[in-house]
Amino acid sequence: KDTAESLKASYKKTLKLFKEYDKTKDNSLLQPPVIEEITFDDAEDYFSKNNWAHPYLDAVNAKASEPLYSEADSVFKKAVKMRDEAIEKAIAAEKENIERERKLLKYNDLLNKARDIGRKERKYDEALKMLKEAVELLPDEIEGRWGLATALHHSGNLKDSLSAYKKLIADYPDNHKFRFEMGQVYLLNDQMQKGLKHIGEAMKHTSEFDNFLVRLADLYVSSGLVDKALIAYEKYIQKYPYNYEALNKYSECL
């Protein structure tokens, strides 16, 4: 997909050129192909990177040239051997992974449908059902598990959401977003101390959640943790100095 998108501009330019030539028959629009000189100095470098295609094409083109025939034949044989081995590996991998590939197609389809149904149609129960099916289909994939934890959170099933987030954190301890979001669920579940602990822990490791500092400070104030609230307000104001509401809250806290 990325490759196709990157080539789009080039194809559009070429198509425009062809259309213009079709109308005008102006031969000055045509550009002769630049014939690259064939050399096998870099063949081993390509082979070392498991790229047999470039040396193969050079060898095919060079075999018609008498001075290069012997060298071309040697490169050709090696390239063909590597090509055949690559085909064998690809066929074996396809057989081995075909069931997973089929599951992956269905998995991605379920995730997309759940996202659309949840966001656009607000059919959260149906979205949850699809996400659960996706997780059962490929339990090791992170996107479905994260989507399920988030959907459970937004549907109000906080107990199951916490359970899902705990499993994600156990498997991916360096993904601080999971811990931050779990902290939010704890807050909704009226477990203020646990929520603040996990949110604070996540925010120690990344500035990604700095816009939440003012909300964190508010929570510290409501919990009577004024010293921590002051630190959070100060950090927030350093980053967002023109938020006058935050400045006012900071002054009240002082």
Side-chain angles (χ1 to χ4, degrees):
K1 179 175 177 293
D2 290 343
T3 305
E5 285 180 346
S6 71
L7 289 169
K8 235 176 167 180
S10 177
Y11 281 122
K12 282 181 179 177
K13 185 179 176 183
T14 305
L15 181 60
K16 184 180 177 183
L17 192 68
F18 275 129
K19 284 180 176 178
E20 194 175 342
Y21 178 76
D22 245 2
K23 286 179 184 176
T24 64
K25 303 300 180 189
D26 179 3
N27 287 335
S28 68
L29 293 169
L30 303 179
Q31 298 175 26
V34 179
I35 299 171
E36 187 180 344
E37 183 185 355
I38 296 172
T39 172
F40 296 109
D41 295 345
D42 56 357
E44 285 305 320
D45 188 41
Y46 278 104
F47 287 142
S48 69
K49 294 177 174 63
N50 291 319
N51 184 339
W52 50 266
H54 189 95
Y56 173 84
L57 290 172
D58 275 351
V60 168
N61 292 327
K63 282 181 81 171
S65 172
E66 190 62 38
L68 291 172
Y69 184 86
S70 176
E71 196 175 357
D73 192 52
S74 172
V75 170
F76 177 81
K77 286 175 180 174
K78 185 167 183 177
V80 167
K81 184 184 177 187
M82 287 182 70
R83 179 199 63 187
D84 292 346
E85 287 172 354
I87 290 170
E88 282 179 23
K89 283 181 184 176
I91 291 169
E94 186 180 17
K95 286 177 182 175
E96 185 180 336
N97 296 320
I98 193 159
E99 190 57 36
R100 176 175 170 77
E101 294 298 325
R102 284 178 184 151
K103 285 183 179 179
L104 194 58
L105 286 170
K106 189 176 180 183
Y107 174 87
N108 288 330
D109 187 48
L110 285 165
L111 290 188
N112 288 329
K113 285 179 178 175
R115 195 177 295 120
D116 288 342
I117 286 173
R119 287 180 185 171
K120 296 176 184 176
E121 301 178 37
R122 309 292 185 196
K123 295 179 181 176
Y124 298 118
D125 289 341
E126 286 186 39
L128 275 172
K129 187 178 176 183
M130 287 178 179
L131 286 165
K132 285 176 181 175
E133 188 181 344
V135 172
E136 285 173 11
L137 200 63
L138 290 173
D140 294 332
E141 290 291 323
I142 193 171
E143 292 88 350
R145 293 173 61 190
W146 187 10
L148 181 60
T150 306
L152 287 164
H153 168 192
H154 291 300
S155 67
N157 193 338
L158 303 182
K159 184 180 176 183
D160 286 346
S161 178
L162 286 170
S163 176
Y165 273 119
K166 284 175 184 175
K167 288 175 184 174
L168 279 167
I169 291 166
D171 291 341
Y172 305 97
D174 294 330
N175 190 321
H176 306 299
K177 193 180 283 285
F178 297 152
R179 189 174 294 280
F180 180 78
E181 290 182 7
M182 186 173 74
Q184 304 271 1
V185 181
Y186 271 121
L187 293 179
L188 282 174
N189 203 37
D190 295 325
Q191 293 176 271
M192 181 75 74
Q193 294 307 316
K194 279 190 175 181
L196 291 174
K197 179 186 173 185
H198 286 290
I199 289 169
E201 187 63 33
M203 293 179 78
K204 275 183 193 174
H205 298 283
T206 174
S207 61
E208 184 181 355
F209 315 116
D210 280 0
N211 62 332
F212 188 77
L213 278 164
V214 70
R215 170 75 178 128
L216 183 63
D218 293 345
L219 291 168
Y220 281 140
V221 170
S222 64
S223 301
L225 303 169
V226 179
D227 290 342
K228 286 189 174 183
L230 285 171
I231 293 168
Y233 279 133
E234 285 165 5
K235 285 182 179 178
Y236 181 85
I237 290 163
Q238 281 174 7
K239 193 155 189 177
Y240 306 99
Y242 300 110
N243 187 325
Y244 297 112
E245 186 182 351
L247 285 165
N248 188 50
K249 286 179 177 181
Y250 177 49
S251 65
E252 287 176 359
C253 188
L254 284 167

